């Protein structure tokens, strides 16, 4: 009888994982329809959300114009992890993202814990962004049509309402898209990504006309401490790049396209963020950012003397949030799909519709749970938990690169982390540094969440693991017949 430790440390071989998902043959359970642009759009769409539209009002007061360096530092920390994702995505192109990477490098128990972290990263984040969408839809309706939805229908009960109807409608629309097929979802997301990049491009083109070098002085009023504090805040506008890794089984030529898409997403997001931040702090004094709502809209209104830019930015925020929510639900369903295939959670999450080749029951369950969270429960505190969930996944991926290099040095890798092993080590240290600056209560709640994941492993996953079944079948075959 295998001990708990033996169960917890058993790993799924890379070869078995790739064969099971058709990484080399193309015979995946899911439909391979996404090319390089669609995959890149998932990374960009899952990353550029409400953050860049509104984060400056919180970050600039902390660092002043030097917030530009905060964006660069955040991009470096995110980039260190992104290149680790790129190596593993090229070597193990499966739907499970960091859950699957943990399973093949660190063992079954760690994989289940990472899967629980990804529930925080994707599920709760999807609900939080849907709530934000409701707010900006109301703002847009007020600007364009002169009316807004009643408070009772646009807020959760504890926020003075009855039900957040727009948030539920958004999740419903995303679910319908995903049920129809990943190809349609990817095309829709690609269009929304193009629009949101165009809106940010418009901000840069118009905002630069208000460039005033006097607004950049003093450049770093709060010193290094302010820049570092703002970096921790800004870092979470970069999460979402791992959404590309979750598309491993629906990507064309995954060994090549997944690493490329991750790097394209990282470069695009970084350049856009830094340029937007530079234009913003040069067009408006630092004192104007604190407490400012819809900051990018206000900057353009001040530069042009007109209110129309605010309406365009509001529309861009609506499209951005739609895209982020779509990617969040997509990523969640694909990770649960991989976990179910391995026996870690019930088999309903692994059922694929033979016509659309999409996990329809999985999508319906995920959308329902997220809709309940978004429609009826204030999730501000839960939304804070997405940060530590994401960081723990990042740490796992970075360690996984090192483990796989040691255990399988000859494994086919279409992309290799530069400056190995310095890069993954710095990635881990960067993530730990940000975790160190999180609130203590967040760490306590996370420990409880990990305990729940371990309990689930003990009660269900350990005995239902397909690796465990294979072991039991092998032992039964070896036993002599009476």
């Amino acid at each position: 009888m295998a001990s708990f430790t033996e169960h917890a440390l058993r790993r799924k071989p890379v070869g078995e994982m790739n064969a099971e998902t058709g990484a080399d043959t193309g015979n995946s359970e899911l439909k391979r329809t996404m090319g390089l642009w669609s995959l890149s759009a998932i990374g960009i769409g899952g990353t550029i959300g409400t953050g860049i539209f509104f984060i400056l009002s919180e970050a600039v007061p902390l660092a002043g114009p030097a917030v530009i360096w905060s964006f660069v530092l955040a991009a470096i920390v995110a980039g260190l992890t992104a290149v680790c994702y790129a190596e593993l995505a090229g070597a193990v192109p499966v739907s499970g993202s960091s859950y699957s990477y943990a399973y093949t490098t660190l063992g079954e128990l760690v994989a289940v814990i990472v899967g629980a972290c990804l529930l925080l990263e994707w599920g709760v984040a999807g609900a939080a962004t849907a709530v934000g969408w409701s707010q900006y839809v109301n703002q847009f309706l007020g600007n364009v049509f002169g009316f807004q939805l009643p408070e009772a229908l646009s807020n959760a009960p504890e926020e003075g309402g009855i039900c957040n109807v727009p948030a539920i409608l958004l999740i419903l629309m995303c679910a319908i898209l995903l049920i129809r097929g990943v190809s349609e979802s990817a095309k829709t997301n690609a269009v929304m990504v193009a629009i949101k990049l165009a809106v940010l491009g418009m901000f840069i083109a118009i905002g630069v006309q208000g460039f005033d070098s006097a607004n950049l002085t003093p450049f770093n009023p709060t010193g290094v401490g302010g820049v570092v504090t703002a970096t921790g805040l800004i870092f979470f506008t970069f999460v979402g790049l791992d959404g590309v890794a979750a598309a491993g089984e629906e990507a064309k030529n995954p060994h090549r396209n997944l690493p490329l898409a991750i790097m394209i997403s990282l470069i695009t997001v970084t350049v856009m963020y830094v340029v937007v931040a530079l234009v913003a702090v040069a067009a408006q004094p630092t004192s104007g950012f604190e407490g400012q709502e819809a900051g990018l809209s206000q900057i353009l209104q001040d530069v042009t003397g007109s209110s129309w830019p605010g309406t365009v930015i509001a529309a861009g925020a609506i499209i951005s949030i739609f895209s982020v929510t779509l990617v969040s639900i997509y990523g969640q369903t694909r990770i649960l799909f991989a976990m179910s295939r391995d026996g870690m959670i019930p088999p309903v999450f692994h059922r694929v519709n033979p016509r659309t080749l999409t996990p329809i029951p999985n999508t319906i369950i995920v959308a329902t749970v997220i809709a309940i969270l978004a429609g009826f429960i204030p999730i501000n505190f839960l939304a804070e938990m997405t940060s530590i969930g994401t960081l723990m996944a990042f740490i796992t991926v970075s360690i996984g690169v090192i483990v796989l290099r040691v255990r399988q040095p000859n494994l086919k890798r279409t992309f290799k982390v530069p400056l190995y092993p310095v890069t993954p080590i710095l990635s881990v240290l960067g993530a730990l540094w940000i975790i160190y600056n999180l609130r203590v209560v967040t760490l306590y709640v996370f420990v409880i969440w990990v305990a729940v994941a371990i309990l689930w492993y003990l009660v269900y996953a350990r005995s239902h693991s397909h690796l465990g079944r294979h072991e039991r079948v092998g032992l039964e075959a070896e036993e002599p017949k009476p």
Side-chain angles (χ1 to χ4, degrees):
M1 190 72 175
S3 68
F4 170 77
T5 302
E6 289 172 327
H7 280 146
L9 295 179
R10 58 190 173 195
R11 300 183 304 275
K12 190 172 184 179
V14 173
E16 178 181 331
M17 197 172 286
N18 284 340
E20 186 178 62
T21 59
D24 299 312
T25 63
N27 298 321
S28 173
E29 292 179 273
L30 304 176
K31 193 173 182 179
R32 293 192 180 275
T33 59
M34 287 192 278
L36 182 58
W37 164 239
S38 294
L39 292 168
S40 301
I42 285 178
I44 298 168
T47 304
I48 299 181
T50 55
I52 191 58
F53 288 93
F54 303 99
I55 195 68
L56 291 174
S57 62
E58 300 179 45
V60 173
L62 295 173
V67 74
I68 298 165
W69 289 115
S70 299
F71 274 98
V72 172
L73 287 175
I76 290 172
V77 175
L80 290 170
T81 306
V83 294
C84 293
Y85 266 102
E87 175 167 326
L88 291 181
V92 194
V94 298
S95 287
S97 183
S98 45
Y99 154 78
S100 295
Y101 306 151
Y103 203 172
T104 197
T105 58
L106 300 176
E108 194 166 88
L109 177 59
V110 174
V112 171
I113 293 172
V114 171
C117 292
L118 294 172
L119 287 176
L120 296 177
E121 178 180 352
W122 292 114
V124 177
T129 53
V131 171
W133 192 77
S134 175
Q135 297 169 3
Y136 301 123
V137 164
N138 252 349
Q139 178 186 348
F140 181 78
L141 291 175
N143 289 350
V144 177
F145 301 105
F147 78 92
Q148 293 186 336
L149 295 172
E151 185 174 325
L153 299 179
S154 55
N155 288 287
E158 290 187 27
E159 295 173 336
I162 297 174
C163 175
N164 195 325
V165 175
I168 293 176
L169 288 177
L170 170 61
I171 293 164
L172 176 63
M173 288 186 287
C174 291
I176 291 172
L177 267 175
L178 292 170
I179 287 171
R180 283 178 57 85
V182 71
S183 177
E184 291 83 352
S185 303
K187 289 175 183 176
T188 302
N189 180 63
V191 170
M192 289 189 288
V193 166
I195 293 173
K196 76 168 74 176
L197 291 177
V199 169
L200 291 176
M202 181 201 77
F203 171 82
I204 294 168
I206 298 176
V208 75
Q209 298 174 32
F211 194 101
D212 185 351
S213 58
N215 291 331
L216 299 177
T217 305
F219 184 75
N220 189 9
T222 58
V224 175
V227 172
V228 170
T229 303
T231 300
L233 182 67
I234 288 168
F235 174 79
F236 301 107
T237 64
F238 283 86
V239 302
L241 294 173
D242 57 336
V244 180
E249 290 175 50
E250 288 154 299
K252 298 176 182 176
N253 193 2
H255 289 293
R256 170 187 176 272
N257 285 340
L258 288 174
L260 273 176
I262 290 172
M263 300 314 298
I264 289 171
S265 301
L266 173 67
I267 293 169
T268 302
V269 169
T270 299
V271 170
M272 190 61 73
Y273 279 2
V274 171
V275 175
V276 166
L278 174 60
V279 170
V281 296
Q284 178 175 268
T286 298
S287 59
F289 284 92
E290 189 162 7
Q292 187 178 53
E293 296 183 2
L296 299 190
S297 299
Q298 188 60 53
I299 290 171
L300 291 194
Q301 288 180 197
D302 293 342
V303 170
T304 63
S306 175
S307 62
W308 69 264
T311 302
V312 175
I313 293 294
I318 290 171
I319 292 169
S320 286
I321 299 171
F322 193 118
S323 178
V324 171
T325 306
L326 179 65
V327 173
S328 295
I329 297 175
Y330 170 79
Q332 183 68 89
T333 58
R334 271 44 182 183
I335 288 160
L336 292 175
F337 173 85
M339 294 182 73
S340 179
R341 177 171 56 204
D342 292 333
M344 300 295 105
I345 58 176
V348 64
F349 293 96
H350 182 226
R351 293 176 190 161
V352 175
N353 182 276
R355 184 178 62 84
T356 63
L357 294 181
T358 56
I360 291 179
N362 181 344
T363 304
I364 293 172
I365 293 170
V366 168
T368 300
V369 172
I370 294 178
I372 291 171
L373 287 174
F376 298 98
I377 301 174
I379 55 172
N380 291 338
F381 177 71
L382 287 178
E384 294 180 15
M385 293 299 298
T386 64
S387 60
I388 193 167
T390 302
L391 286 163
M392 291 307 297
F394 282 6
I395 289 172
T396 302
V397 168
S398 301
I399 294 174
V401 166
I402 298 173
V403 171
L404 206 58
R405 285 279 191 105
V406 172
R407 287 188 175 146
Q408 293 185 255
N410 298 321
L411 180 68
K412 176 185 175 183
R413 293 172 173 84
T414 51
F415 176 89
K416 287 191 174 183
V417 169
L419 301 178
Y420 173 88
V422 175
T423 299
I425 291 172
L426 288 178
S427 174
V428 172
L429 293 177
L432 290 174
W433 164 60
I434 295 173
I435 289 174
Y436 177 77
N437 288 288
L438 294 176
R439 295 192 306 164
V440 174
V441 66
T442 303
L443 300 178
Y444 285 149
V445 174
F446 178 72
V447 170
I448 295 172
W449 183 251
V450 170
V452 171
I454 294 172
L455 180 62
W456 174 263
Y457 178 73
L458 290 171
V459 172
Y460 183 92
R462 181 174 61 160
S463 59
H464 288 78
S465 166
H466 289 180
L467 280 183
R469 290 179 184 177
H470 296 159
E471 290 167 2
R472 287 194 294 275
V473 169
L475 288 172
E476 290 169 1
E478 291 174 5
E479 289 180 0
K481 295 181 179 180

